[in-house]
Amino acid sequence: MRRLFPVPLPSSSAPASPSSPSVSEDRTWELEELAEAYAYPEAAGSGGRAWLRANMVSSLDGAAHHDGRSQPLSSAADMRVFGTLRGLADAVVVGAETVRQEGYRPARAREAFAARRAALGQGPAPVIAIVSAGLDLDFTLPLFREPLVPTIVLTGADAPADRVAAARAAGAEVLVAGEGRRVDPARVPEVLAARGLTRLLTEGGPRLLGQFAAAGVLDELCLTLAPLVAGGTADRIVSGPGMPVPERFVLASLLEEGGFLFSRYHRI
């Protein structure tokens, strides 16, 4: 992996040691280096405010998945970035359809991130927070029965009472983030922040990401561009309501490995 942007300027006072690895050198990065590269900004948690970042992968022709799953577009480097982003997050926010399609399991504790998480007052693993209006979920799955930290379900005030009861019986925590049966995407970050979960990561799917973008609450996009052409009619990484004016983001960093590009964009 090598850093393409930003490229650090050489120090005029102290020449680099020949034994010191360069961030622009093509080499395997340690997890600690990736954690520093993807650390949440200081704004995350400041004044109780949540910072919502998304992590998505796309093919060269704009497909967000192949045969309904994102894994065929991924790589070993992409999975390292994926694991790093989870290791830094308080909560992973995901749509119900993605839970069903991707076979979500509970997040696990990783020794490589234990000290960093403890220093920030985080739990041993991120919470999985599922956005679901109808709660059409299989509550017998390990995601509900065997999580290291209880799974959260975000739903509307008038969600089906029997499904709410089933979620709670399975050990999930049900939080209201909308009126009626609808989940208000703008309320999701504030509801989770009220629970002390301010470093948020959403892994989609495209419809949920589209809702967050349209609501103006998406702070950061981590996009992996895979050197693949998928064809077909797969969704883009963002699918949902149109925006009156395209929202502007600025490039924060760009890494590369094996033709895969790993970009970070911050909302202006």
Side-chain angles (χ1 to χ4, degrees):
M1 181 171 285
R2 58 194 175 115
R3 186 192 297 278
L4 302 181
F5 179 85
V7 177
L9 296 175
S11 171
S12 58
S13 59
S17 167
S19 62
S20 299
S22 167
V23 292
S24 60
E25 177 188 345
D26 193 4
R27 59 184 175 79
T28 300
W29 283 31
E30 300 294 334
L31 282 179
E32 185 61 29
E33 290 178 277
L34 280 176
E36 287 296 327
Y38 283 96
Y40 278 82
E42 292 184 5
S46 177
R49 180 189 179 280
W51 179 275
L52 178 62
R53 71 168 27 151
N55 180 37
M56 299 291 283
V57 62
S58 170
S59 67
L60 291 176
D61 55 330
H65 57 78
H66 184 67
D67 285 341
R69 301 183 68 238
S70 59
Q71 192 277 332
L73 304 180
S74 187
S75 68
D78 183 49
M79 293 309 297
R80 288 203 306 275
V81 171
F82 172 89
T84 298
L85 293 177
R86 280 198 165 198
L88 299 174
D90 293 335
V92 177
V93 188
V94 63
E97 182 62 21
T98 298
V99 169
R100 291 188 288 265
Q101 289 287 338
E102 300 281 353
Y104 259 59
R105 297 186 62 82
R108 58 189 178 91
R110 298 183 63 185
E111 183 61 33
F113 298 100
R116 180 183 288 267
R117 294 185 67 86
L120 293 172
Q122 295 175 298
V127 175
I128 303 296
I130 306 168
V131 177
S132 177
L135 281 73
D136 182 17
L137 299 162
D138 183 353
F139 294 118
T140 67
L141 294 175
L143 181 58
F144 300 100
R145 298 292 184 179
E146 303 171 10
L148 191 61
V149 288
T151 295
I152 287 176
V153 177
L154 296 145
T155 191
D158 295 335
D162 61 328
R163 301 306 296 163
V164 171
R168 288 175 171 154
E173 181 179 0
V174 180
L175 300 179
V176 173
E179 304 304 322
R181 285 199 167 190
R182 178 178 174 271
V183 178
D184 181 353
R187 286 185 57 185
V188 169
E190 67 182 50
V191 167
L192 291 173
R195 286 275 286 96
L197 305 171
T198 58
R199 300 172 186 87
L200 305 181
L201 168 66
T202 180
E203 297 170 350
R207 283 190 298 174
L208 180 61
L209 183 53
Q211 292 169 5
F212 283 141
V217 294
L218 180 64
D219 297 297
E220 178 181 336
L221 175 62
C222 298
L223 175 62
T224 297
L225 184 63
L228 304 168
V229 173
T233 59
D235 290 334
R236 299 180 303 168
I237 64 164
V238 175
S239 174
M243 302 171 69
V245 178
E247 192 152 29
R248 184 67 181 241
F249 283 68
V250 63
L251 182 65
S253 71
L254 183 64
L255 309 176
E256 184 272 340
E257 180 171 317
F260 284 77
L261 294 176
F262 305 94
S263 63
R264 287 178 67 201
Y265 287 88
H266 289 175
R267 179 163 56 105
I268 296 176

